[in-house]
């Protein structure tokens, strides 16, 4: 058998144990000679290290045309997609058996090989130069033709029987001048492994695929590490931007569309250019980017909602607070100029009256009065600024803007005067004191915002028009509602008033025209 092998171009594989550690020696001189014959030039860069080599049987080792290892290292998911074209054993480098067969098939020798670690392995022949793309670990990415049926498999026993029956059979003639790979393919043998096309693909098919890819230059081109990182960053940045300017639902849709787009692009590059780009890592990065931004936005938005609720639930109605939470853009904290209406009210003679009352009675009366006033302010969509003792300050038109803010302010004032009358009737029956309220409303430009110190701030209004509203209230008698000319101009079609004498107020050079509200339609 050994003599017959010597007459043919037969290649036997050897197998390696890939690991770290001290290599084991080969003692048989024929096996040493075989390794010496197939040894390649030294290579720089990451190469798989073999600590033990199991060469062919010694009496065959000197007869075979060549040899090489047949190991194939699976990827992390267990599938075989690539083969290392060379390994290191002790200080020598040795080829994959498919590479050795391809060199002889192409009429090239090991001296015709040039290797650039992590880039390519170049084979120079008489009529062409074959450049095999390598990944960062100096492995060749396999371009499988398909499942095993695509490789024209034949039963070994079937070939023997066919030769016995008819040596000139055309199927046998087709084997002439062909590369024939013999190996185990039966289910249950140890040489079966999963590949992208099959869950049980024989190792001999992996060797045949490697050979076919080399001699036909049918290579898959793996993307570089730089390209992979670049695409991860691009997809991550794009999803970050789109998720940050949209809500979670639109962000999820955009993320899904980006994934689909990238999968289509990856498939197109693979199909048309045999360029293999990563799909898992960019899409995984995109998923975690989207989830991270969504979680962050949820946390910050909840914090913002809590801040808005805590900030404004004292000032405005619950409906306005809910709307502010839904539309935070309505609220711009910090000073800004706005045209709105300001309201002041005060209990006439309250200081002297309270001196004649018990403290508990004063507190009870104020609490009942201020509670009713606050309800009315909120009922007419006003913002409660503050209580100044027995005085009330409020404004209309912020944080939510109403075009008819002047009307709402005056309607609230009229309603408050009615409520005071009802309270006085109730208190008179209870034997308590009656009160009278003076009110002032002014409309104009004010500065509104969150004002105060770092530790304590209020959402309030300041400006000359705020002062004018306070001066109107100071001049209003019990039961009167005084409004300025600007307020009257806003509501003159729906209000009955008495035009009063112009009023000279502090801070104004000219007298201010004042109107007393009698009725609002």
């Amino acid at each position: 058998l050994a003599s017959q092998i010597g007459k043919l171009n037969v290649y036997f594989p050897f197998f390696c144990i890939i690991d770290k550690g001290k290599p084991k020696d080969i003692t048989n001189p024929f096996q040493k000679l075989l390794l010496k014959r197939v040894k390649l030039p030294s290579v720089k860069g990451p190469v798989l290290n073999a600590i033990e080599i199991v060469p062919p049987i010694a009496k065959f080792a000197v007869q075979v045309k060549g040899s090489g290892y047949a190991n194939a290292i699976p990827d992390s998911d267990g599938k075989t997609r690539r083969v290392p074209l060379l390994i290191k054993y002790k200080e020598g480098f040795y080829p994959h058996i498919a590479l050795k067969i391809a060199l002889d098939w192409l009429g090239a020798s090991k001296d015709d090989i040039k290797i650039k670690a992590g880039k390519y392995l170049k084979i120079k022949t008489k009529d062409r130069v074959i450049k095999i793309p390598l990944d960062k670990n100096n492995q060749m990415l396999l371009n499988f033709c398909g499942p095993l049926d695509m490789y024209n498999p034949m039963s070994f026993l079937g070939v023997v029987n066919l030769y016995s029956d008819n040596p000139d059979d055309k199927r046998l003639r087709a084997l002439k001048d062909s590369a024939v790979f013999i190996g185990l393919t039966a289910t249950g043998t140890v040489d079966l492994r999963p590949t992208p096309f099959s869950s049980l693909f024989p190792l001999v098919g992996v060797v045949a695929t490697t050979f076919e890819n080399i001699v036909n230059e049918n290579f898959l081109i793996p993307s570089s590490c730089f390209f992979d990182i670049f695409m991860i960053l691009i997809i991550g940045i794009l999803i970050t931007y789109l998720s940050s300017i949209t809500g979670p639902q639109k962000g999820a849709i955009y993320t899904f569309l980006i994934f689909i787009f990238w999968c289509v692009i990856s498939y197109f590059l693979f199909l048309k250019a045999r360029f293999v780009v990563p799909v898992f890592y960019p899409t995984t990065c995109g998923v975690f980017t989207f989830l991270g931004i969504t979680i962050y936005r949820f946390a910050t938005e909840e914090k913002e909602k809590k801040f808005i609720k805590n900030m404004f639930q004292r000032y405005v109605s619950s409906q306005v607070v809910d709307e502010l939470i839904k539309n935070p853009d309505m609220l711009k904290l910090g000073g800004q100029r706005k045209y709105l209406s300001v309201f002041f009210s005060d209990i006439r003679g309250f200081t002297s009256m309270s001196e004649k009352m018990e403290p508990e009675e004063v507190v009870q009366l104020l609490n009942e009065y201020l509670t009713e006033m606050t309800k009315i302010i909120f009922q007419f969509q006003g913002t409660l600024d503050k209580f100044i003792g027995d005085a009330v300050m409020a404004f209309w038109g912020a944080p939510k803007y109403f075009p008819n803010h002047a009307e709402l302010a005056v309607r609230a004032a009229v309603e408050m005067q009615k409520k005071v009358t009802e309270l006085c009737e109730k208190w008179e029956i209870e034997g308590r004191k009656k009160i009278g309220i003076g009110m002032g409303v002014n409309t104009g430009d004010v500065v509104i915002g969150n004002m105060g110190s770092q530790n304590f701030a209020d959402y309030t209004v300041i400006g000359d028009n705020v002062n004018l509203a306070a001066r109107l209230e100071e001049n209003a008698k019990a039961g009167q509602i005084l409004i300025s000319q600007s307020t009257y101009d806003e509501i003159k079609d729906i209000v009955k008033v008495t035009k009063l004498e112009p009023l000279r107020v502090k801070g104004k050079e000219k007298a201010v025209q004042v109107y007393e509200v009698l009725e609002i339609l």
Side-chain angles (χ1 to χ4, degrees):
L1 180 59
S3 60
Q4 291 297 321
I5 288 174
K7 298 176 182 179
L8 303 171
N9 292 330
V10 176
Y11 297 80
F12 275 11
F14 60 81
F15 292 89
C16 309
I17 297 177
I18 307 296
D19 205 346
K20 296 179 180 179
K22 186 178 180 181
K24 295 182 180 180
D25 292 330
I26 296 174
T27 58
N28 187 283
F30 297 111
Q31 294 175 333
K32 285 184 177 181
L33 179 62
L34 175 64
L35 290 182
K36 185 176 180 180
R37 284 166 49 197
V38 299
K39 187 177 180 181
L40 297 175
S42 61
V43 177
K44 294 181 180 180
V47 178
L48 293 177
N49 184 68
I51 62 171
E52 185 177 353
I53 285 183
V54 183
I57 298 171
K59 64 180 179 179
F60 295 146
V62 293
Q63 300 294 336
V64 295
K65 174 75 173 179
S67 185
Y69 71 95
N71 297 55
I73 311 300
D75 286 348
S76 57
D77 62 353
K79 286 186 171 61
T80 298
R81 295 185 179 88
R82 62 196 83 226
V83 295
L85 291 182
L86 58 161
I87 60 161
K88 182 179 180 182
Y89 172 68
K90 292 187 175 182
E91 299 303 319
F93 293 84
Y94 301 93
H96 190 277
I97 187 171
L99 175 61
K100 174 59 180 171
I101 298 172
L103 287 173
D104 293 344
W105 183 276
L106 297 168
S109 68
K110 60 185 179 182
D111 295 328
D112 297 319
I113 293 177
K114 180 180 179 182
I115 302 173
K116 187 171 184 180
K119 297 292 184 180
Y120 59 81
L121 185 150
K122 189 183 292 185
I123 302 174
K124 187 177 181 180
T125 67
K126 293 180 179 180
D127 54 354
R128 58 176 168 155
V129 175
I130 299 174
K131 194 174 182 180
I132 306 172
L134 301 178
D135 65 14
K136 61 183 179 180
N137 294 317
N138 290 317
Q139 297 186 102
M140 171 185 164
L141 193 61
L142 296 176
N143 187 7
F144 289 94
C145 299
L148 186 62
D149 293 342
M150 298 292 294
Y151 292 82
N152 300 317
M154 297 178 68
S155 165
F156 184 82
L157 183 59
V159 172
V160 172
N161 292 335
L162 186 62
Y163 183 80
S164 300
D165 296 339
N166 183 10
D168 293 328
D169 190 281
K170 63 178 181 180
R171 287 172 289 179
L172 295 178
R173 292 200 304 270
L175 298 178
K176 187 179 180 181
D177 299 327
S178 297
V180 179
F181 295 85
I182 302 173
L184 298 174
T185 61
T187 303
T189 56
V190 296
D191 276 346
L192 301 180
R193 60 194 55 236
T195 67
F197 282 97
S198 175
S199 59
L200 295 174
F201 195 82
L203 180 60
V204 65
V206 174
V207 175
T209 298
T210 307
F211 171 80
E212 186 275 332
N213 287 177
I214 294 173
V215 297
N216 291 332
E217 298 185 65
N218 188 22
F219 304 121
L220 295 180
I221 305 171
S223 59
S224 65
C225 182
F226 172 80
F227 180 85
D228 296 350
I229 295 174
F230 177 76
M231 290 312 305
I232 289 172
L233 289 176
I234 288 295
I235 291 178
I237 291 171
L238 185 59
I239 291 177
T240 299
Y241 172 73
L242 292 175
S243 298
S244 63
I245 63 173
T246 61
Q249 292 182 341
K250 286 188 177 180
I253 293 172
Y254 284 133
T255 300
F256 178 74
L257 291 176
I258 289 171
F259 290 170
I260 296 298
F261 177 76
W262 180 239
C263 289
V264 170
I265 291 296
S266 301
Y267 180 73
F268 178 81
L269 291 174
F270 176 80
L271 198 63
K272 298 297 182 181
R274 289 181 293 180
F275 187 60
V276 180
V277 298
V279 175
F280 176 77
Y281 292 113
T283 53
T284 302
C285 172
V287 168
F288 282 104
T289 298
F290 170 72
L291 290 177
I293 291 175
T294 302
I295 292 171
Y296 173 77
R297 287 188 64 180
F298 177 78
T300 54
E301 285 177 4
E302 284 299 311
K303 186 176 180 180
E304 182 181 26
K305 289 177 182 178
K306 186 176 180 181
F307 169 76
I308 292 173
K309 190 170 184 178
N310 291 337
M311 182 73 190
F312 287 96
Q313 64 183 356
R314 299 176 296 162
Y315 304 129
V316 297
S317 65
S318 58
Q319 293 91 340
V320 174
V321 172
D322 291 340
E323 193 158 348
L324 287 173
I325 290 173
K326 292 178 183 176
N327 303 287
D329 291 340
M330 292 169 53
L331 176 64
K332 294 181 180 178
L333 293 182
Q336 57 180 318
R337 188 172 296 276
K338 275 195 172 184
Y339 185 80
L340 47 77
S341 297
V342 183
F343 164 89
F344 280 90
S345 71
D346 188 60
I347 301 176
R348 294 294 171 251
F350 183 76
T351 301
S352 59
M353 184 178 68
S354 62
E355 291 175 353
K356 301 173 185 179
M357 300 169 61
E358 293 296 325
E360 293 82 4
E361 188 181 358
V362 173
V363 172
Q364 184 181 4
L365 184 146
L366 269 181
N367 285 346
E368 189 172 355
Y369 161 71
L370 294 175
T371 298
E372 295 300 329
M373 298 303 102
T374 302
K375 287 180 181 178
I376 294 171
I377 291 171
F378 288 173
Q379 177 187 344
F380 287 90
Q381 308 303 321
T383 300
L384 176 64
D385 190 306
K386 60 177 68 71
F387 298 132
I388 311 167
D390 61 306
V392 178
M393 176 182 175
F395 51 88
W396 276 256
K400 182 178 179 181
Y401 181 75
F402 297 98
N404 61 334
H405 52 79
E407 177 188 345
L408 292 171
V410 175
R411 285 191 183 278
V414 172
E415 191 65 29
M416 282 189 271
Q417 288 290 9
K418 291 180 181 179
K419 179 55 68 173
V420 169
T421 301
E422 293 176 9
L423 289 173
C424 288
E425 291 174 356
K426 173 177 173 290
W427 292 337
E428 186 176 16
I429 295 172
E430 295 173 353
R432 290 195 282 169
K433 300 286 185 180
K434 296 194 297 182
I435 60 174
I437 311 297
M439 300 179 179
V441 180
N442 180 40
T443 301
D445 289 327
V446 299
V447 175
I448 184 167
N450 209 26
M451 302 176 195
S453 67
Q454 286 185 336
N455 298 324
F456 182 81
D458 269 332
Y459 187 71
T460 188
V461 291
I462 59 174
D464 186 59
N465 282 302
V466 178
N467 296 333
L468 179 55
R471 298 292 178 264
L472 293 176
E473 174 267 309
E474 289 174 359
N475 286 274
K477 298 176 182 179
Q480 272 191 326
I481 302 171
L482 299 186
I483 63 174
S484 64
Q485 181 68 51
S486 58
T487 302
Y488 175 72
D489 290 341
E490 293 284 335
I491 62 170
K492 59 185 178 181
D493 295 332
I494 60 170
V495 69
K496 290 182 180 180
V497 298
T498 298
K499 186 175 182 180
L500 304 180
E501 290 294 324
L503 182 67
R504 289 195 172 275
V505 296
K506 185 178 179 181
K508 293 286 187 180
E509 294 182 1
K510 294 182 179 182
V512 177
Q513 181 60 58
V514 180
Y515 298 86
E516 179 184 357
V517 176
L518 301 177
E519 183 183 356
I520 189 165
L521 303 178

